[in-house]
Amino acid sequence: MPAGTGREDPGRLAGIRAAQRELRARFPSAVIWYGRATGRWWATVDHQRGPGRLYKARIPAELAALLHGRVGSPPRRPPVR
């Protein structure tokens, strides 16, 4: 289904939610969302001090690359055994 039609594939939605959770965990100071109408990933940073800066990307990895240089990324925890 095209973005914004109101009918979404459950598997696609699950993938979007999983990517969103991962991005939010990596960049907790950013507000991150997927625009269903635009089909783009969005983030805003520095919103605590004003309107913030808005970033847009086609895929989650692209958004992560944009944010990494702006807000950093917390160190990854080693896997729990």
Side-chain angles (χ1 to χ4, degrees):
M1 278 289 144
T5 62
R7 293 183 183 171
E8 301 281 349
D9 172 42
R12 182 172 181 268
L13 285 177
I16 289 170
R17 288 186 188 115
Q20 193 172 35
R21 278 191 304 273
E22 183 178 327
L23 286 167
R24 286 177 174 169
R26 284 184 64 190
F27 306 102
S29 65
V31 176
I32 298 169
W33 68 97
Y34 178 76
R36 291 164 77 180
T38 63
R40 299 289 187 259
W41 286 89
W42 298 85
T44 184
V45 296
D46 296 329
H47 50 276
Q48 293 89 355
R49 292 179 255 159
R53 173 114 191 240
L54 187 64
Y55 296 93
K56 162 178 94 165
R58 292 177 189 255
I59 59 174
E62 181 183 359
L63 187 61
L66 290 171
L67 293 175
H68 184 70
R70 293 354 180 250
V71 297
S73 180
R76 294 254 181 189
R77 289 188 236 172
V80 177
R81 296 191 189 260

